[in-house]
Amino acid sequence: MLFLTKARYMRIHIIWVSILLVGALTACGPTTQGNDQQLTLTGSTSVGPFAEQLAERYEEHHRGSKVNIQALGSSAGIQAAAEGTVELGMSSRHLEPDEEEQLQVYEIARDALAIIVHPSNAVTDLSTEQVRRIFTGEIANWREVGGHDAPIDIVTREAGSGTYGAFEELVMDKELPAQSALRQGSNGAVRQIIAGDPDSIGYISLGIVNETVKPISVDHVQASTEAVMSGQYKLVRPFLFVQRKNATLSPLGQEFLSYVLSPEGQQELVQAGLIQGADAQ
Amino acid sequence: MKERLISFLLFLCALVSIASLAIITFFIFQAGLPLIFRVGLGNFLESSLWNPSGDPQSFGIAAMILGSIWVTLGAIVVGVPLGLAVAIFSAEIAPPRLAMLIRPVIQLLAGIPSVIYGFIGLTILAPAIRATFGGPGLSVLTAALILGIMILPSIISISEDALRAVPSAYRDGSLAVGATRWQTIWRVLVPAARSGIVASVILGMGRALGETMAVIMMLGNALQVPRSPLDSATTLTSNIGLELAYASGAHRDALFATGVVLFVLIMILNILANIFTGRVTFWQRLSAFRPAVFNGRAAWRRRNT
């Protein structure tokens, strides 16, 4: 610094000061504008990430609107909507009869799980019960289900992820996967492990299945969009938005709901690995 | 005025880094400690049942602690002999020009992102291990081999510095009394550089213990206590990295609590490394916590002389 001229030094000084000033101003600046419209959705942790994605996309097109997603669980979402604390609740399970009386339901999408194995695996069909016993570790060798003689490498998802939640609910019947089960952080990572390991089995969202892995039929029904739509394939759960009956949505709530059910919104969901909901337009 | 402004700015920078450490510490402990107290420290550390989304929830991180220990020790077993050998070669045996080439190459190793290491482990090493030894391939062995390479830069550079810092009188003296070159290296130089070498190993351990991304990719993340090097396992870091995205409520707190345990472990390793490098002796470190009044008289004497 000694050889800097005074003027040059002052310039650096000014830069520093302005950096500090800008920092201070942004920190104190207004974070929201007063006339913003706000919408809050509460509910399923599985629907949450997808709703979040839809909300972000919606906000891109509608400046000044803010859609908040709170993922607290399906029951919490249903209850909040029934009590009217939120306009829209999110659920990844079907409603109980008493809940159905109070709530208007929109099926925004369906989440189907495919059970996948390595393409070289000779096994083509398993019952739900067999899949469950494989994942709990009771069935430990492919020979026991008509395959080659090799120990089964189980691949599951981490606790808290929506896909794990679906699998837990649709297949595991409150039992935990075997401790030796490998855990991966995404559908893609599971697919990659299965594609590289001839002895492995795993589950991923149906939309993520590609030719590197082999989806097997469950209870003799091959997973496909059609089988899901017709109701034959059982490893499916609905993604629902629920609203209190006879309550009118705010303009923002109405508009967000129609965006989600519109072809653009549905396209977004299908790309994320889901299947069109029954109430899609 | 100029001097004072600059020193003030530098002081501000120092303050920012210290403050961010303090804030991070506070935040991790504030988020994690309540859960540890609720579950009980014994339960949290000794149970290996981790089922944060179950009903009832259970939070036991014993399997992850053991996973971390296995992987870290494995990395040390792979990395230390290799790193020490390179350090000795580069400091003592290699002609200066070759040594000047080795150094930047090793430093380059440190610049490779860990996700690349993980990818190599996942796509090349894991299938090879599955084909050779069986098992799922994603295993403690796979992670230890790759982590052993990842910790090489810290081990080599610090060990090499320590070896070069040994006074040449030691070397000359040893050779003068008729020791061979190897005897000089192994019996004189390595013992003389011991503290630096031990520090390098401890820093390497810290690196292996803290590595997250590569471990998530290579270790398979099974929630079990590994019984063989071919078993998959989960470490403290990889479980946080894997689950934090979707965690909420008590699950999230439990991940922060895992962070508290990790924080304590890393702190212990860093303090050990500082002690061994001789930067701070154990007693100096302890005296930092001594109430200031004990230092009062010495300070008073200093002022008045």
Side-chain angles (χ1 to χ4, degrees):
Chain A
M1 284 276 175
L2 281 176
F3 49 81
L4 294 183
T5 61
K6 179 130 191 172
R8 181 127 172 246
Y9 171 70
M10 281 305 290
R11 229 176 6 247
I12 293 172
H13 179 63
I14 287 166
I15 292 171
W16 268 105
V17 170
S18 40
I19 287 172
L20 288 177
L21 269 180
V22 169
L25 284 178
T26 21
C28 309
T31 47
T32 49
Q33 278 139 27
N35 54 354
D36 271 0
Q37 284 187 294
Q38 293 245 2
L39 173 69
T40 301
L41 275 72
T42 299
S44 164
T45 51
S46 314
V47 185
F50 297 100
E52 191 81 59
Q53 193 182 336
L54 288 166
E56 272 168 32
R57 193 45 61 89
Y58 179 82
E59 284 166 8
E60 276 171 28
H61 297 303
H62 299 79
R63 295 249 166 238
S65 304
K66 180 87 188 102
V67 182
N68 303 308
I69 309 294
Q70 293 175 339
L72 301 170
S74 294
S75 300
I78 291 166
Q79 197 186 348
E83 286 168 358
T85 36
V86 293
E87 287 183 49
L88 288 169
M90 305 177 289
S91 168
S92 53
R93 61 168 173 83
H94 287 291
L95 300 192
E96 306 287 337
D98 60 315
E99 292 166 347
E100 209 147 349
E101 278 172 26
Q102 307 171 50
L103 293 164
Q104 167 79 38
V105 176
Y106 306 94
E107 188 185 81
I108 63 157
R110 291 181 221 195
D111 186 21
L113 293 182
I115 308 294
I116 54 168
V117 296
H118 191 267
S120 73
N121 199 321
V123 174
T124 54
D125 181 78
L126 292 171
S127 67
T128 310
E129 177 62 16
Q130 280 174 320
V131 173
R132 191 181 65 78
R133 287 174 59 200
I134 286 174
F135 274 85
T136 57
E138 272 176 77
I139 298 177
N141 195 303
W142 281 111
R143 207 180 37 206
E144 295 170 59
V145 289
H148 57 295
D149 181 12
I152 302 176
D153 295 335
I154 312 161
V155 188
T156 183
R157 288 289 304 278
E158 80 283 14
S161 81
T163 314
Y164 177 80
F167 188 73
E168 198 179 28
E169 183 184 315
L170 296 167
V171 177
M172 291 310 281
D173 194 23
K174 298 205 179 356
E175 285 191 68
L176 282 179
Q179 290 201 320
S180 62
L182 304 185
R183 296 182 304 149
Q184 294 295 318
S186 68
N187 276 312
V190 174
R191 190 177 63 193
Q192 193 186 355
I193 303 285
I194 307 287
D197 181 352
D199 306 330
S200 59
I201 185 168
Y203 56 88
I204 60 178
S205 277
L206 184 56
I208 311 292
V209 173
N210 67 6
E211 69 293 341
T212 62
V213 293
K214 186 175 86 170
I216 55 170
S217 60
V218 179
D219 298 324
H220 310 295
V221 181
Q222 189 67 47
S224 67
T225 309
E226 295 74 44
V228 171
M229 298 296 260
S230 69
Q232 281 176 292
Y233 190 71
K234 293 300 176 205
L235 300 187
V236 180
R237 57 181 183 162
F239 279 5
L240 309 174
F241 277 3
V242 293
Q243 175 205 348
R244 187 150 67 147
K245 269 187 185 158
N246 306 323
T248 45
L249 289 173
S250 67
L252 177 59
Q254 186 57 52
E255 211 181 327
F256 182 65
L257 180 63
S258 10
Y259 166 71
V260 170
L261 297 175
S262 74
E264 302 94 79
Q266 290 292 311
Q267 179 64 25
E268 198 78 27
L269 291 173
V270 168
Q271 270 173 8
L274 300 180
I275 291 167
Q276 270 203 349
D279 294 314
Q281 285 139 9
Chain B
M1 152 72 186
K2 200 148 76 174
E3 294 277 332
R4 276 181 55 196
L5 189 82
I6 291 168
S7 74
F8 176 72
L9 282 177
L10 290 176
F11 171 72
L12 218 61
C13 296
L15 208 63
V16 165
S17 56
I18 292 172
S20 43
L21 179 65
I23 290 168
I24 290 170
T25 311
F26 174 77
F27 185 63
I28 292 177
F29 277 76
Q30 185 231 16
L33 279 184
L35 184 115
I36 294 184
F37 287 131
R38 213 184 71 209
V39 178
L41 186 65
N43 262 335
F44 189 63
L45 296 181
E46 283 163 26
S47 158
S48 61
L49 184 63
W50 174 265
N51 182 20
S53 66
D55 187 19
Q57 295 175 307
S58 53
F59 303 107
I61 61 168
M64 298 166 210
I65 294 177
L66 287 169
S68 278
I69 291 174
W70 271 69
V71 168
T72 306
L73 290 183
I76 293 298
V77 168
V78 174
V80 169
L82 204 57
L84 197 55
V86 174
I88 290 172
F89 178 75
S90 164
E92 294 298 323
I93 299 170
R97 284 185 133 182
L98 186 58
M100 270 164 64
L101 191 73
I102 293 175
R103 254 196 125 104
V105 170
I106 296 298
Q107 292 311 318
L108 215 61
L109 216 53
I112 299 174
S114 60
V115 66
I116 304 292
Y117 282 105
F119 190 69
I120 290 170
L122 178 67
T123 55
I124 297 170
L125 194 57
I129 283 177
R130 180 168 53 234
T132 320
F133 302 109
L138 300 171
S139 60
V140 173
L141 179 63
T142 315
L145 285 172
I146 297 282
L147 277 177
I149 293 170
M150 291 176 74
I151 63 174
L152 281 180
S154 27
I155 291 180
I156 293 171
S157 60
I158 298 170
S159 298
E160 195 190 331
D161 287 345
L163 284 168
R164 285 186 192 278
V166 175
S168 55
Y170 286 33
R171 196 174 293 110
D172 299 342
S174 171
L175 293 171
V177 297
T180 62
R181 203 172 178 192
W182 175 247
Q183 284 169 331
T184 303
I185 289 172
W186 198 243
R187 299 276 178 79
V188 178
L189 299 179
V190 168
R194 194 180 50 215
S195 68
I197 292 171
V198 171
S200 79
V201 172
I202 293 172
L203 286 176
M205 285 173 83
R207 173 105 164 85
L209 189 64
E211 179 52 47
T212 307
M213 193 60 215
V215 175
I216 289 180
M217 294 170 83
M218 298 185 294
L219 198 53
N221 311 311
L223 279 172
Q224 63 182 343
V225 177
R227 279 168 307 245
S228 97
L230 297 176
D231 277 349
S232 167
T234 302
T235 66
L236 295 165
T237 50
S238 63
N239 197 57
I240 297 175
L242 194 65
E243 295 192 350
L244 194 60
Y246 294 118
S248 59
H251 184 189
R252 195 179 156 82
D253 297 342
L255 294 180
F256 274 104
T258 312
V260 170
V261 173
L262 191 65
F263 188 95
V264 171
L265 287 177
I266 297 269
M267 274 298 163
I268 291 172
L269 284 182
N270 272 330
I271 290 171
L272 285 178
N274 275 347
I275 290 171
F276 277 106
T277 44
R279 273 203 277 176
V280 197
T281 68
F282 178 69
W283 294 112
Q284 277 174 331
R285 186 154 285 272
L286 203 67
S287 70
F289 295 107
R290 215 162 43 174
V293 61
F294 293 134
N295 299 324
R297 211 154 66 173
W300 181 82
R301 207 178 298 139
R302 264 202 308 278
R303 261 202 308 278
N304 289 282
T305 45

